Amino acid sequence: MSNKTTVTDGLIQFEYDEEMLKAIEDALGDLKSEAPKVLKNAVNATAKQAKVKLAKKAKETYVVKQTRFTKAMATKNATNANPTATINITSEQLELKDMKVSPASYNPTKRPSATKAKVLLSSSLKGLEAGTKAFIVKFKNGHVSVAQRKTKARYPIKKLLSNSIPKMVGNEDRVLGVVEPDIYDDLMDNILTQIKKVLK
């Protein structure tokens, strides 16, 4: 049996083929009419587990709290007619200040020689000197950001942004691709559990 996971614009979709449904029908025998329900329940349980595992892995990878990943993900359950579950990941663009930054706070009386930041937990703080010097700024509304001047002039300035949560979670090398084998294993376990419930 096989599964397919696709990621498009923050939408993670777990698709399962006819071969999987046929294998469930064979295991159920005379109760094969229950196969769509078995697959639906297994897929929904797996999607719930996947959401937790994706958030945990993302938290272990990036300098972002796990709750931010969890809150950004919403699950749409599979049905008997369509045993496909989706995890929709939506979030505003994160600022670099949402990551780990040094200095961590705004202090107009103390100007550091360089502002440093990191996005990955495994990396070290690196200076932000691409073009013009980066600095911590506090806007009139009280919001604090990491910013750079767009030109050599004092104004205008731009806030520096980081990766979005959908891109972080959907990263094949660091998060989704690492967790995907576990998602498949969870699906197999959940299918066996649901089959046993029906046969009982």
Side-chain angles (χ1 to χ4, degrees):
M1 293 187 286
S2 63
N3 77 309
K4 180 183 179 184
T5 305
T6 58
V7 185
T8 307
D9 296 329
L11 186 69
I12 301 176
Q13 192 167 35
F14 305 99
E15 302 172 350
Y16 305 99
D17 57 25
E18 291 297 324
E19 181 185 351
M20 182 174 286
L21 184 60
K22 180 65 168 59
I24 295 171
E25 289 176 342
D26 291 342
L28 291 172
D30 293 339
L31 297 173
K32 69 178 184 179
S33 61
E34 294 291 313
K37 182 179 178 181
V38 165
L39 185 54
K40 176 200 72 174
N41 290 341
V43 168
N44 288 338
T46 303
K48 186 176 180 180
Q49 293 168 315
K51 180 179 174 181
V52 174
K53 290 185 176 181
L54 287 167
K56 182 179 179 181
K57 184 61 182 175
K59 179 256 182 184
E60 292 172 353
T61 305
Y62 298 99
V63 189
V64 180
K65 292 182 179 180
Q66 184 168 336
T67 52
R68 294 198 69 167
F69 291 112
T70 303
K71 289 179 180 179
M73 292 189 281
T75 305
K76 182 179 179 181
N77 285 337
T79 64
N80 286 351
N82 181 23
T84 299
T86 58
I87 297 177
N88 189 24
I89 311 170
T90 56
S91 172
E92 293 181 359
Q93 182 77 42
L94 296 182
E95 291 189 33
L96 194 58
K97 187 66 173 65
D98 294 322
M99 306 295 116
K100 186 172 179 62
V101 177
S102 177
S105 59
Y106 172 72
N107 186 347
T109 63
K110 188 176 181 181
R111 300 285 185 177
S113 58
T115 300
K116 300 180 180 181
K118 72 173 186 176
V119 175
L120 296 172
L121 277 173
S122 60
S123 65
S124 57
L125 287 166
K126 295 181 180 180
L128 304 171
E129 301 300 329
T132 58
K133 184 178 178 180
F135 53 93
I136 305 294
V137 62
K138 186 175 182 179
F139 294 99
K140 290 182 179 180
N141 62 4
H143 182 71
V144 177
S145 294
V146 179
Q148 278 182 324
R149 292 183 172 87
K150 291 186 177 182
T151 66
K152 291 182 179 181
R154 185 174 178 83
Y155 294 104
I157 63 174
K158 62 178 180 180
K159 293 187 290 186
L160 298 185
L161 303 177
S162 179
N163 294 334
S164 67
I165 285 181
K167 285 188 177 181
M168 291 180 182
V169 176
N171 190 301
E172 286 286 342
D173 295 327
R174 300 184 187 278
V175 181
L176 179 60
V178 178
V179 175
E180 196 168 4
D182 290 338
I183 295 173
Y184 179 75
D185 289 341
D186 287 340
L187 175 65
M188 295 299 102
D189 290 341
N190 289 326
I191 286 175
L192 290 175
T193 298
Q194 293 298 322
I195 288 174
K196 288 177 181 177
K197 282 184 178 181
V198 172
L199 295 178
K200 214 170 189 180

